[in-house]
Amino acid sequence: MSEMTAPTTSDRGFFGEAKYPGIFGWIFSTDHKRIGLLYFWCIFFFFCVGAFLGLLIRLELFAPGETIMGAQTYNAVFTLHGVIMIFLFIIPGIPAAFGNLILPIQIGARDVAFPKLNLFSWWLYITGAILAVTSLFTGGGPPDTGWTFYVPFSAQTSTNVSLAAIAVFILGFSSILTGLNFVTTVHRLRAEGMGWFRLPLFTWALYSTAWVQILATPVIGITVALLFAERVIGTGLFDPTQGGDPIMFQHLFWIYSHPAVYIMVLPGMGVVSDIIPVFSRKPAFGYKAILISSLAIAFAGSLVWAHHMFTSGISDLAVMVFSFLTFIVAIPSAIKVFNWLATMYQGSILLDPPMLFALSFILLFTIGGLTGLVLGSAATDVHVHDTYFVVGHFHFVMFGGTGMAFFAAMHYWLPMIYGRMYDKTVATVAWGVMMIGFLILYISMKVVGMQGMPRRYYDYVPEFTGLNQLATVGSWILAVGLVLLFANIIRGLFWGDPLEANPWGSASLEWQVSSPPPTENFDEDPVVTHGPYDFKQAGIL
Amino acid sequence: MNPQPLITTTEAVDKAFYIIFGISGVMLLGVTVVMIYFVWRYNRKRYPVPLSQKNTNLWLETTWTIIPTILVMVMFWYGWEGYLSLRNIPDNAVPIHASARMWSWLFTYENGKTSDKLYVPVGQPVKVQLTAEDVLHSFYVPAFRVKRDTVPGMDNYVWFVADQPGSYDLFCAEYCGVGHSAMITTVEAVPAAEFSAWLAAKPAVSDAGKNLLQKHGCLGCHSLDGSPMVGPSFQDIGGRQVVVISDGESRTLTRDRDYLEKSILEPGADIVEGFPPSMPSYAGRIPEEDLTGILDYLTGLKGEQQGDKATPERDALEPVEAEAEAEAQEPGQAAEPAEAAGPGDFVSQGENLAGKNGCLGCHSTDGSRRVGPSFKGLMGSERTVVKDGQEITVSADADYLIRAIREPGVEIVQGYPAAMPPYPQLSDEDIKALQAWLETLK
Amino acid sequence: MSGHVHKDYTGAKFGMWLFLFTEILLFGGLFILYSVYLSRYPQEFISAGKELNVWFGGGNTLVLLTSSLFVAVSITALRRGAKRLCLGLLGGTIVCAVIFMVNKYFEWSAKIDHGIYPGSAHLKEMLPGEMVFFNIYYLTTGLHGIHVVIGALILAWTMALVKSDKVNANDWVILENAGLYWHLVDLIWIFIFPLYYLILH
Amino acid sequence: MTEEHSHIVPYKTFLIIWFALLILTGITIAVAQYNLGALNIWVALGIATLKAGLVVSVFMHMQYESYLFKLSLLSALAILAIFIGFTFFDVLYR
Ligand code: HEA
Ligand code: HEA
Ligand code: CUA
Ligand SMILES: [Cu+2]
């Protein structure tokens, strides 16, 4: 790419200039990097809270009967764990944090298309988060519905579901604004020479995701709004005694929430697609196939929602159609996996932490995805639906997939943003510990699910004790790994060694600016002369 | 629909499992091996400079699009085939009705017999009709690979066949609130002969009464199985308590014979709470003898229920049940048979009521904590309860029991949620029976 | 590209359109429910639909279509330099919005006086399909009403901008976007009207 | 930014469209008085779609916008149609 600014690490870049003093310089800043960091740290914080709750769940399930909390508390805890992880961590995770930080620089823009809207969307996020937290301590106490809010239970329970519904509505709005911003940015603000097929795959992934955010999220908005109306004014659109149909709630819920799982994973795939070429020193194999599969997943992902409802009493025809389409969506994912592997072929592979996380994404996502196929198949889903097998599946794809991609992005890009490097050895050790804990934890869940242990069970029959204990022990190992990982990266970002220029040897635009990047990213408008993986032209090879 | 010999649901589903796991295993192994191999083979230590910059190969890309497509189609097909086996009920399936509510199951057999465990004959398919009384639940028997939600306002079903006698876990798999994980019971598969003996042990509901109800169209609005339709269900109606609205005032009545007669002849006088005043009067439209027949039947429905599980049929099942308990060892799922049989019918009637009304979904009998306090050692003890925000101590006597069941929201046992629903349908007599049984749980 | 010098009109409009898509899908959720329940309870929807007054609905249709015309013309007016006309038309649109809401108020209060509103005792006596019809009717028109109010507020704000020449013949994209929003409100109503008020008379 | 000064639509066009919209409204109301069975809903929807089309293309200037706009609108509507349509795989065949 164009050599316009010699990468330097001396000045403090965008950290140095602020419109307002102190904290206001952050929470009123419209700079995409500052907003990105606001998002990042909030999301990071909520991940820690959510993970801590996950730890509590595991402790309770260490033995049958009451271990550390009562049934009502347990139900509130897993609901909160799910809501935090989904709406506060994983959906905004990569797009809002890393998308904001990286996307504009990657395509040679000075900011996103609507900087004020971007700031507003962060405010919405934080408002939603505060409301979600408030719902724990007000009204009838913490919601106990599970993150799926199924009626009629959610319409009847005396806990504070109404406030949680408002929170979800607002968070959805925030997610929409981020998506809207990215689509417009990609269409309008690409630098000169940045043709569509020179966009980094991370940008492509975010672009596909953004469309899903725009077109699917409103549906969850209306769904929770209807739930709110059902609770507050008694419009019984889902209430069978008023002629409503509870199954319709599930349709509306999953019309959003299935596409949402691709909102969760597509950006992660984008991160992996950007990291693997850099650490293999090879252009992304099948660039077009990967970007087309991103778009295909975004589109086809909107057609399969009812696979969450195979046992609910939907028609057999619907079961057939949705099962069939579910398998179709697996194909673009498969294409990506194969392309990533092919990228490594005949490369020059360096196992630095970002690459380690990217590779564990491939492994864990494949395991999670393949168990997704078990769920997509009608007969087998009947057995494992709403068991720990499903819990295992989604932790593999969400934590093992997107979570790992999030960590990969942290280790890959944050040094560039902060201008400092973490300790790679510690990161590698932490990664190893995490992987061991992860596999023990979630494989046990899948096995106990196959044996028939239903999910959202506060208590279980004694046959399941052994595997549950194994899982709990796994969660401790995982916890050790995570704490080490986080401590290391925080230490590195604030107190680590100054970063050398373009440390990973990437050909993409975001590594050509100085680090930390200056406020408007580029001193003069960049002109792009080669693709993001063209290591030869970039002078890296 | 099913080819002979009958394949069990377990076999039908497991076939799909093997195929999908098989393919997945191969793919996973392939991906992992290739990944590790590349990392080792093309490590930067070995190749500081990549061997090539190749980034596309149409032939390869087509192959790895087509092969997965074929593989997933295979998976889809077997999954769908297995699903069809779950949906196509064999002709000779025994119909049983399952009603799910927070947080217990009630099974009703064709002859009107009810039970809180699901008894099925070995080797013969059963079709379980599923309804829900409050929120979503899900009928799940892992051993038979069947699961189906119970949805309010909707009729679902599952079928399965048990090919081995035994006791199999039956879980509620759809989250339904605080008692969700306690909504467990068992499928008791017993030899066909034993099953028929058990089923017959109690006189079936007389058909004559049912025919009369049918004839006069009562069953268009009232069910016999406990599910509310336009009007309240006839199940367990005689003698039970009911809250009615008379002239805008709400009061509690016992559904004795006179009440029932008045409800038929003058339906507008007392309206059962929660139902519309839409029943027409039958005064002059029902012959005297038919009315008598109906009243006998309605009051009798209760009498028969109470006789349920009297000694003969218990005997018939004794061995199986003992065996089941030895195997499952579930705390509090069933009281010790010896104890129940002890002080006579009254006690076993109480136990039976506790099972059927779902008390055991929330209360254990072995001292362990569930949603509510354990029944063990309850009667006669000192209880700390919260009333109007004040902590007070009361002793658990007969009167306390009545208060606890009629108005559970008034005195809340300290440390427990106010989650127990009121039970207006339990008559004073029922509560006495419950008490007699509770007394035995020292 | 020197994005920071000029305003990116196309970008701004495109962003607005994207936002309109989300609005369409928000209402889309209600239309999904409508279609499902219509197919389940065709007779009840007809009998319940008869209770709605075509004149209220039809009147409001005229009001909204006219207001849309005003907004559309106001943009041309502004661009041709007729600022007074533009302001007048925008004022007219807001008046239309008020008429619409007053009309809606009378319509709703007539219904509520008849005891037809979500959760009412009278509603509970109706057939299930009719209950669904009225519930979804209140939700849809209610949500639409909220949009009318928001739209009017946006237009009022735009008027202020036009007045102070912040929005002018050379820089009118805010007016354009406010107009787009208002047209969306009209668009939704174009579908609500036949589906609720005219269903098989 | 070349397309800054896009088409200025003359007043007359708007008036014509407005008039057409009124007529179409009249037609829907008129048609609704006849019982066409299941066809009623489709006729009503058809006319509504026509009206919406006029509003979108002229009042909202879609007609003068680039392909990107048109294509996006089309995808949004297609997705909505899919959401409704696919739900019927369940609802119609239960
Ligand atoms: C990041 C989020 C994410 C992702 C990416 C996925 C991906 C997939 N999911 Fe998952 N899913 C969830 C999150 C996610 N899911 C969540 C949160 C739930 C539970 C919600 C709740 O109830 O609380 C859930 C539940 C869920 C169900 C419902 C289960 C039930 O409740 O009964 C189903 C059923 O079909 C399903 C299927 C799939 C499939 C087929 C994929 C596919 O996209 C996977 C595709 C990937 C691969 C197939 C692996 C890679 C491919 C290869 C290595 C090639 C070789 C493979 C072939 C032979 C093709 N998922
Ligand atoms: C991205 C999403 C995500 C992630 C990362 C996780 C992470 C974890 N989850 Fe999560 N989980 C969900 C999303 C996620 N979960 C969802 C959506 C549900 C469904 C909810 C529902 O049913 O409605 C669910 C449900 C769920 C269940 C099922 C509950 C039930 O059905 O009864 C269980 C049970 O074990 C569980 C466990 C865990 C564990 C042990 C972790 C671990 O990975 C956590 C690892 C972390 C640690 C062990 C702690 C590390 C410590 C720190 C980071 C420092 C913290 C410090 C301070 C707070 C000061 N989760
Ligand atoms: Cu009943 Cu869960
Ligand atoms: Cu899904």
Side-chain angles (χ1 to χ4, degrees):
Chain A
M1 300 209 166
S2 59
E3 306 330 290
M4 58 277 132
T5 352
T8 59
T9 54
S10 49
D11 68 312
R12 292 171 59 226
F14 74 101
F15 287 104
E17 286 177 43
K19 236 177 169 172
Y20 309 99
I23 178 106
F24 299 106
W26 288 88
I27 62 177
F28 293 126
S29 167
T30 54
D31 178 12
H32 69 96
K33 296 177 290 303
R34 289 192 168 227
I35 296 175
L37 282 180
L38 283 180
Y39 264 120
F40 176 79
W41 289 110
C42 294
I43 287 165
F44 186 83
F45 169 76
F46 282 113
F47 175 78
C48 289
V49 176
F52 182 69
L53 293 170
L55 209 58
L56 291 185
I57 297 179
R58 284 316 325 162
L59 276 178
E60 171 52 43
L61 294 178
F62 190 69
E66 178 165 336
T67 315
I68 57 164
M69 59 179 118
Q72 186 67 33
T73 318
Y74 177 83
N75 294 347
V77 167
F78 76 69
T79 303
L80 193 63
H81 170 74
V83 168
I84 288 184
M85 284 301 192
I86 300 269
F87 295 108
L88 297 178
F89 166 59
I90 199 167
I91 288 182
I94 295 177
F98 291 103
N100 262 321
L101 284 170
I102 303 302
L103 181 136
I105 319 185
Q106 255 192 348
I107 63 172
R110 289 172 186 273
D111 206 323
V112 292
F114 310 111
K116 285 189 197 132
L117 214 56
N118 204 13
L119 178 63
F120 181 53
S121 124
W122 179 79
W123 275 100
L124 285 177
Y125 171 82
I126 212 70
T127 313
I130 290 173
L131 282 182
V133 173
T134 315
S135 75
L136 304 182
F137 306 108
T138 52
D144 62 342
T145 56
W147 82 280
T148 47
F149 296 109
Y150 275 8
V151 293
F153 182 74
S154 61
Q156 289 171 11
T157 173
S158 60
T159 56
N160 209 352
V161 175
S162 310
L163 195 59
I166 298 178
V168 169
F169 188 94
I170 293 176
L171 290 169
F173 202 18
S174 158
S175 172
I176 289 176
L177 293 183
T178 304
L180 186 159
N181 232 324
F182 286 173
V183 171
T184 318
T185 308
V186 172
H187 272 288
R188 304 296 307 167
L189 299 183
R190 276 171 290 127
E192 204 179 324
M194 178 58 85
W196 283 96
F197 293 124
R198 277 191 185 158
L199 287 180
L201 287 166
F202 179 58
T203 294
W204 265 113
L206 286 176
Y207 176 76
S208 321
T209 311
W211 274 107
V212 186
Q213 285 176 296
I214 292 171
L215 295 179
T217 316
V219 183
I220 190 80
I222 193 70
T223 313
V224 293
L226 290 175
L227 175 60
F228 183 82
E230 187 127 348
R231 288 179 64 87
V232 177
I233 34 182
T235 51
L237 278 187
F238 306 120
D239 175 359
T241 61
Q242 294 193 50
D245 182 351
I247 305 283
M248 284 314 297
F249 178 90
Q250 299 180 22
H251 273 299
L252 288 184
F253 183 84
W254 291 114
I255 282 179
Y256 166 70
S257 297
H258 182 83
V261 311
Y262 296 111
I263 296 179
M264 301 169 200
V265 85
L266 272 173
M269 293 169 155
V271 172
V272 173
S273 309
D274 260 16
I275 288 181
I276 290 191
V278 171
F279 290 86
S280 309
R281 294 263 154 99
K282 267 195 66 202
F285 194 90
Y287 173 90
K288 284 193 185 163
I290 293 186
L291 81 84
I292 291 173
S293 66
S294 287
L295 293 170
I297 291 179
F299 172 71
S302 307
L303 313 179
V304 304
W305 71 84
H307 67 205
H308 295 269
M309 302 159 60
F310 285 163
T311 69
S312 69
I314 57 171
S315 75
D316 292 344
L317 178 73
V319 170
M320 185 181 90
V321 171
F322 283 102
S323 169
F324 182 80
L325 291 168
T326 300
F327 281 106
I328 299 287
V329 204
I331 298 168
S333 301
I335 293 177
K336 280 187 198 261
V337 170
F338 299 139
N339 276 310
W340 292 328
L341 292 180
T343 305
M344 291 160 63
Y345 174 69
Q346 292 194 336
S348 161
I349 300 170
L350 183 66
L351 281 186
D352 265 353
M355 183 65 166
L356 280 177
F357 284 108
L359 293 182
S360 44
F361 175 102
I362 300 184
L363 177 70
L364 301 178
F365 173 76
T366 302
I367 302 181
L370 290 170
T371 52
L373 298 178
V374 176
L375 300 171
S377 141
T380 47
D381 182 61
V382 169
H383 178 56
V384 290
H385 169 72
D386 264 345
T387 65
Y388 264 81
F389 191 84
V390 177
V391 178
H393 157 71
F394 66 68
H395 281 97
F396 260 95
V397 279
M398 293 205 295
F399 192 4
T402 314
M404 290 297 161
F406 187 81
F407 298 157
M410 259 163 71
H411 288 82
Y412 180 60
W413 278 310
L414 282 189
M416 185 272 278
I417 297 291
Y418 278 91
R420 286 177 191 277
M421 184 52 93
Y422 49 82
D423 185 326
K424 290 186 197 168
T425 322
V426 179
T428 309
V429 171
W431 170 85
V433 177
M434 261 185 69
M435 283 300 282
I436 295 172
F438 187 98
L439 291 171
I440 297 180
L441 169 58
Y442 295 114
I443 289 181
S444 320
M445 285 198 194
K446 288 196 181 177
V447 177
V448 82
M450 277 302 291
Q451 293 178 358
M453 174 166 165
R455 65 192 278 208
R456 297 174 176 170
Y457 258 33
Y458 154 74
D459 189 4
Y460 49 85
V461 296
E463 296 92 284
F464 300 141
T465 313
L467 284 163
N468 271 298
Q469 283 175 345
L470 196 60
T472 305
V473 171
S475 79
W476 298 336
I477 302 175
L478 178 55
V480 171
L482 263 180
V483 170
L484 191 60
L485 190 77
F486 287 175
N488 178 50
I489 190 136
I490 290 176
R491 209 203 116 263
L493 294 181
F494 294 102
W495 300 282
D497 300 335
L499 190 72
E500 51 186 294
N502 197 357
W504 317 118
S506 163
S508 146
L509 203 48
E510 77 267 23
W511 293 100
Q512 318 304 322
V513 299
S514 56
S515 163
T519 301
E520 290 226 316
N521 301 346
F522 305 96
D523 296 334
E524 59 194 84
D525 291 328
V527 178
V528 182
T529 51
H530 59 79
Y533 311 111
D534 208 336
F535 297 99
K536 283 229 167 79
Q537 290 225 30
I540 288 153
L541 284 178
Chain B
M1 284 295 240
N2 267 290
Q4 297 296 357
L6 188 74
I7 53 162
T8 64
T9 49
T10 317
E11 287 159 356
V13 172
D14 282 356
K15 188 170 163 202
F17 266 123
Y18 291 133
I19 286 163
I20 296 175
F21 275 134
I23 299 180
S24 299
V26 172
M27 297 307 290
L28 177 61
L29 197 71
V31 168
T32 318
V33 166
V34 168
M35 190 164 91
I36 293 176
Y37 174 73
F38 283 177
V39 167
W40 168 78
R41 182 73 176 58
Y42 301 111
N43 203 281
R44 194 160 294 176
K45 289 202 195 88
R46 218 182 271 253
Y47 295 103
V49 175
L51 289 176
S52 83
Q53 288 290 302
K54 194 152 178 47
N55 63 2
T56 178
N57 181 333
L58 190 63
W59 181 82
L60 206 61
E61 291 181 48
T62 318
T63 320
W64 71 44
T65 307
I66 291 177
I67 291 182
T69 310
I70 296 171
L71 289 179
V72 294
M73 287 304 99
V74 172
M75 296 183 180
F76 161 73
W77 179 253
Y78 283 99
W80 172 242
E81 198 189 29
Y83 180 80
L84 279 183
S85 321
L86 295 180
R87 301 298 293 158
N88 291 331
I89 312 157
D91 297 335
N92 56 342
V94 180
I96 302 175
H97 178 262
S99 168
R101 65 227 159 160
M102 290 165 154
W103 289 284
S104 59
W105 297 94
L106 184 70
F107 302 103
T108 311
Y109 297 80
E110 252 201 317
N111 64 355
K113 182 164 177 131
T114 59
S115 145
D116 57 337
K117 288 185 181 179
L118 178 55
Y119 288 95
V120 299
V122 169
Q124 201 182 347
V126 292
K127 175 191 179 188
V128 188
Q129 200 82 45
L130 304 166
T131 57
E133 284 177 24
D134 34 47
V135 301
L136 301 175
H137 302 276
S138 190
F139 176 100
Y140 177 33
V141 187
F144 304 127
R145 315 282 189 264
V146 290
K147 180 182 293 118
R148 196 81 175 166
D149 293 4
T150 69
V151 183
M154 190 168 167
D155 285 327
N156 279 341
Y157 68 83
V158 294
W159 82 267
F160 62 87
V161 46
D163 56 0
Q164 296 291 325
S167 169
Y168 305 93
D169 286 324
L170 193 169
F171 297 124
C172 172
E174 183 63 66
Y175 177 69
C176 54
V178 64
H180 170 56
S181 63
M183 198 166 156
I184 304 181
T185 180
T186 49
V187 176
E188 302 291 347
V190 297
E194 234 173 273
F195 176 75
S196 349
W198 174 78
L199 199 59
K202 182 193 67 101
V205 171
S206 74
D207 275 351
K210 210 180 188 174
N211 288 343
L212 284 172
L213 293 174
Q214 193 81 52
K215 175 172 145 201
H216 292 288
C218 315
L219 298 183
C221 294
H222 298 272
S223 77
L224 290 174
D225 60 6
S227 51
M229 293 166 67
V230 180
S233 171
F234 286 152
Q235 186 192 34
D236 294 350
I237 195 167
R240 293 287 192 275
Q241 299 254 313
V242 64
V243 180
V244 297
I245 319 252
S246 327
D247 296 330
E249 301 278 305
S250 114
R251 56 192 185 127
T252 308
L253 293 178
T254 303
R255 287 153 155 165
D256 51 19
R257 206 179 167 95
D258 288 346
Y259 166 83
L260 290 174
E261 180 167 357
K262 192 171 163 205
S263 310
I264 297 172
L265 302 179
E266 263 182 80
D270 306 313
I271 306 297
V272 178
E273 199 180 34
F275 289 93
S278 47
M279 173 163 166
S281 164
Y282 282 84
R285 286 167 59 193
I286 293 192
E288 193 61 32
E289 67 272 21
D290 282 10
L291 186 62
T292 321
I294 288 177
L295 289 174
D296 283 350
Y297 175 74
L298 290 182
T299 46
L301 264 185
K302 182 198 166 214
E304 283 159 15
Q305 304 269 318
Q306 284 187 338
D308 187 357
K309 281 218 178 175
T311 0
E313 87 222 47
R314 265 213 98 72
D315 287 343
L317 273 180
E318 209 67 287
V320 181
E321 208 153 307
E323 187 188 304
E325 259 148 35
E327 264 175 32
Q329 288 200 344
E330 274 178 44
Q333 270 303 301
E336 252 60 304
E339 242 178 339
D345 264 9
F346 210 43
V347 169
S348 68
Q349 189 183 317
E351 182 196 359
N352 194 18
L353 280 167
K356 267 213 239 155
N357 287 290
C359 313
L360 297 178
C362 296
H363 299 275
S364 80
T365 54
D366 61 357
S368 66
R369 183 195 168 105
R370 285 210 177 167
V371 181
S374 174
F375 281 155
K376 185 171 180 194
L378 167 66
M379 295 310 295
S381 67
E382 293 287 305
R383 319 298 298 173
T384 310
V385 298
V386 181
K387 186 175 182 180
D388 303 327
Q390 305 284 344
E391 260 184 41
I392 53 170
T393 309
V394 294
S395 79
D397 50 16
D399 188 48
Y400 173 74
L401 188 65
I402 294 181
R403 294 200 309 271
I405 294 174
R406 285 281 147 71
E407 299 171 307
V410 176
E411 292 166 317
I412 306 295
V413 182
Q414 213 249 321
Y416 286 87
M420 173 162 163
Y423 281 85
Q425 70 272 34
L426 289 178
S427 67
D428 291 353
E429 205 182 314
D430 291 340
I431 297 183
K432 287 215 189 75
L434 278 168
Q435 187 191 344
W437 171 64
L438 289 174
E439 301 276 5
T440 67
L441 299 172
K442 285 296 178 197
Chain C
M1 221 185 229
S2 44
H4 55 299
V5 180
H6 292 294
K7 266 195 184 173
D8 177 8
Y9 272 38
T10 311
K13 268 192 291 182
F14 188 57
M16 189 64 198
W17 269 104
L18 291 178
F19 183 69
L20 297 190
F21 298 162
T22 71
E23 293 279 5
I24 292 175
L25 278 135
L26 185 77
F27 279 93
L30 286 168
F31 285 119
I32 294 174
L33 287 179
Y34 178 90
S35 60
V36 167
Y37 289 131
L38 172 69
S39 82
R40 187 166 301 167
Y41 306 112
Q43 290 313 320
E44 289 89 335
F45 266 47
I46 293 168
S47 59
K50 287 206 176 103
E51 301 262 324
L52 298 187
N53 191 324
V54 188
W55 298 116
F56 274 127
N60 266 347
T61 309
L62 295 191
V63 171
L64 276 192
L65 288 179
T66 311
S67 71
S68 256
L69 171 73
F70 287 171
V71 172
V73 173
S74 79
I75 296 172
T76 303
L78 183 71
R79 292 183 64 189
R80 290 188 176 163
K83 181 176 158 190
R84 293 278 303 277
L85 178 61
C86 170
L87 285 173
L89 286 165
L90 287 179
T93 313
I94 294 174
V95 171
C96 284
V98 173
I99 298 177
F100 182 93
M101 290 312 287
V102 170
N103 208 343
K104 183 105 271 163
Y105 170 77
F106 281 118
E107 186 192 349
W108 272 31
S109 32
K111 284 267 117 33
I112 292 172
D113 283 348
H114 281 97
I116 302 181
Y117 53 90
S120 74
H122 182 47
L123 197 67
K124 291 246 156 81
E125 287 163 19
M126 296 190 179
L127 295 172
E130 296 176 336
M131 274 190 254
V132 170
F133 181 86
F134 284 114
N135 279 327
I136 199 169
Y137 157 79
Y138 273 105
L139 285 167
T140 314
T141 55
L143 188 64
H144 180 262
I146 294 174
H147 279 79
V148 172
V149 174
I150 297 176
L153 292 177
I154 293 177
L155 286 174
W157 172 68
T158 317
M159 255 176 98
L161 292 182
V162 173
K163 211 171 226 154
S164 60
D165 279 331
K166 289 214 176 80
V167 169
N168 54 47
N170 295 317
D171 183 1
W172 36 267
V173 75
I174 293 183
L175 176 61
E176 168 108 22
N177 277 351
L180 283 178
Y181 188 85
W182 187 257
H183 292 306
L184 177 92
V185 173
D186 186 22
L187 268 184
I188 304 280
W189 185 261
I190 287 179
F191 284 92
I192 292 181
F193 173 58
L195 288 179
Y196 288 89
Y197 292 84
L198 291 183
I199 166 158
L200 280 188
H201 262 267
Chain D
M1 249 117 297
T2 46
E3 64 283 76
E4 215 77 306
H5 293 286
S6 56
H7 196 80
I8 300 188
V9 188
Y11 296 142
K12 207 171 113 196
T13 320
F14 285 139
L15 278 172
I16 294 174
I17 295 296
W18 175 71
F19 197 64
L21 287 170
L22 292 190
I23 296 202
L24 284 172
T25 308
I27 295 181
T28 359
I29 299 182
V31 172
Q33 310 307 317
Y34 300 96
N35 188 353
L36 310 175
L39 220 61
N40 274 62
I41 191 83
W42 294 111
V43 171
L45 274 179
I47 299 179
T49 310
L50 202 61
K51 284 165 72 180
L54 289 178
V55 172
V56 169
S57 57
V58 184
F59 281 4
M60 300 171 91
H61 310 166
M62 187 48 99
Q63 171 175 14
Y64 314 104
E65 305 288 4
S66 65
Y67 268 113
L68 170 64
F69 282 64
K70 292 176 188 163
L71 208 69
S72 313
L73 177 65
L74 222 63
S75 347
L77 296 179
I79 286 286
L80 179 59
I82 286 176
F83 287 166
I84 297 180
F86 276 39
T87 308
F88 275 79
F89 280 125
D90 169 24
V91 176
L92 235 43
Y93 298 91
R94 247 190 225 160

